[in-house]
Structure formats: structure tokens, C-alpha cells
Amino acid sequence: MFQFEQARLGHPGQAVFDNLTLQIKAGEKVALLGPSGAGKSTLLSALRSQQPDTVAWCPQDADLVPMLSVFHNIYMGALDRHHSFHNLRNLVWPSRQHKQAIGELSDELGLAEKLFTSVDRLSGGQAQRVALGRAIYTRRNILLADEPVSNVDEHQGLALLQQTLERHDTGVVALHDRQLALETCSRIIGLRDGAIVLDAPCSSLALADLDALYQ
């Protein structure tokens, strides 16, 4: 599904990975772990660029439109599925079908009472829920997410991430919470200093095995 062979990844004039070899297969739920600057966001961006039309994307900063409501921001996940007139009509006069579908999804995400609240009035955790809702409403098989529940408390974050991953066949998620990674994913890729220093099934790992990534 995703494959890099001795790839050089990074930003213009600055390589984060000089010689990356990696394969991610369909059906895997992969957590990317590592300290800040290890290359998690760079790798997610490179994965997204390989299959831009087949992935649901949830960025770290949520990237919502602040003056629009929860409904409208989640609906943006469906823009590519419909023609321009349909999208414009639903942004102005939401159809019963989309109101019901997005209303049910918002309820599952704990946002039922905020459906037509502008997102600039939400907390950081609520904004992340909206971003997850938009990714889910994209209705694509692959999820790429960068710290999608970092502003949500650990118990709610676990439930939200599990719920989101269950809706996608394949997922690659950058996380900072090691326990969350072990509980929600099937494979952990550990990054440090622009290199993969750990790649193993979650079933073979414990928290202590992940400590070296942050030392």
C-alpha cells in the first residue's frame, strides 16, 4: 500500500530522512512514535502524497474553518464526493440526509449540542473531535492522522481513536502517548534522529520497550 525504498524525505533544502526504507500493508493500524522533530509529521506528509485521493486526513492543527459551524466543517469531508452545486446548496441549506448523517456522527463524537456552533467557540478538544469527524465523513479506507487526540483526556482519547480507526481499513497515526499507541494499534514504528529505530508488532512490546525512543 505504502512503500519507500531508500527514500530521501524532508523539506526544501533540509532532509529529515536520508535513506528511508519502509512498507505499510493494507489492514495495518500503525502508530508513529518518537520525540518532537523525529520526523513523524514529515513521514505522514510523504504517505499522504503517495495516495492523496485515497486517504482521510486529520492534521495536528485540525485546520478547520473558524467562522463555520461544526456541521459545515464535518461536511467538508464530503466535498470530493459531490458536484459543486450540491456542495454549495448544502453549505447554505443543509439537506435532511446530510443533517441526519452528520448529526449522528456528531452525537457519537460528543458534539451533538454543538452541531451548528461555529468552531471558533469550541475548546481545543472539541475542535479535534470535529477534525476527526471530517476525516470519518470523507469515507475513505485509509486514515492518516497527526496527534488527533492530543487535546482530549486519556479515557475519551482512547475511545475516540478506537472508534475512528475502526471506521478505516488501514490507519497510520502519529502519537505522543505510548500507552494509547499500544492499546489502539497493531504495529509501532519508532522514529529518532531521522531514522526508524523500532518497528515491531504491539503485541510484542511493553511501555518499557518504548522508553529508548525518548532518551
Side-chain angles (χ1 to χ4, degrees), residues 200-206 209:
C202 289
S203 59
S204 69
L205 297 169
D209 299 315

Side-chain angles (χ1 to χ4, degrees), residues 124-126 128-129 148-158 160:
Q126 289 171 331
Q128 286 194 320
R129 292 169 188 265
V149 293
S150 58
N151 291 324
V152 182
D153 74 62
E154 60 179 314
H155 299 295
Q156 293 180 336
L158 173 62
L160 282 169

Side-chain angles (χ1 to χ4, degrees), residues 128-144:
Q128 286 194 320
R129 292 169 188 265
V130 177
L132 284 171
R134 180 184 58 198
I136 291 170
Y137 208 59
T138 305
R139 294 179 182 172
R140 293 176 174 175
N141 291 332
I142 306 169
L143 172 71
L144 300 180

Side-chain angles (χ1 to χ4, degrees), residues 173-212:
V173 186
L175 296 171
H176 70 275
D177 188 323
R178 295 168 294 163
Q179 186 62 47
L180 184 61
L182 289 172
E183 293 183 12
T184 58
C185 294
S186 58
R187 175 184 174 189
I188 287 181
I189 295 174
L191 306 174
R192 192 174 65 189
D193 300 327
I196 295 175
V197 295
L198 174 70
D199 189 348
C202 289
S203 59
S204 69
L205 297 169
L207 278 175
D209 299 315
L210 306 177
D211 289 343

Side-chain angles (χ1 to χ4, degrees), residues 49-198:
S49 68
Q50 281 198 350
Q51 300 188 42
D53 298 325
T54 62
V55 302
W57 171 237
C58 187
Q60 185 173 7
D61 61 359
D63 196 25
L64 305 175
V65 181
M67 70 287 296
L68 294 183
S69 69
V70 169
F71 171 88
H72 291 96
N73 274 276
I74 292 178
Y75 177 80
M76 287 183 178
L79 290 178
D80 290 344
R81 299 204 306 271
H82 304 289
H83 55 72
S84 298
F85 178 76
H86 180 96
N87 289 328
L88 180 60
R89 184 183 64 188
N90 275 280
L91 290 173
V92 179
W93 298 290
S95 70
R96 179 181 300 178
Q97 176 187 2
H98 287 293
K99 280 200 294 187
Q100 179 177 348
I102 294 176
E104 291 173 355
L105 177 56
S106 296
D107 188 32
E108 293 176 20
L109 295 170
L111 294 166
E113 297 179 359
K114 303 290 185 180
L115 188 59
F116 288 101
T117 300
S118 60
V119 297
D120 57 357
R121 298 173 58 189
L122 302 182
S123 68
Q126 289 171 331
Q128 286 194 320
R129 292 169 188 265
V130 177
L132 284 171
R134 180 184 58 198
I136 291 170
Y137 208 59
T138 305
R139 294 179 182 172
R140 293 176 174 175
N141 291 332
I142 306 169
L143 172 71
L144 300 180
D146 195 351
E147 301 286 2
V149 293
S150 58
N151 291 324
V152 182
D153 74 62
E154 60 179 314
H155 299 295
Q156 293 180 336
L158 173 62
L160 282 169
L161 187 55
Q162 285 177 328
Q163 174 185 349
T164 305
L165 286 171
E166 286 171 359
R167 290 173 176 262
H168 297 86
D169 295 336
T170 304
V172 183
V173 186
L175 296 171
H176 70 275
D177 188 323
R178 295 168 294 163
Q179 186 62 47
L180 184 61
L182 289 172
E183 293 183 12
T184 58
C185 294
S186 58
R187 175 184 174 189
I188 287 181
I189 295 174
L191 306 174
R192 192 174 65 189
D193 300 327
I196 295 175
V197 295
L198 174 70

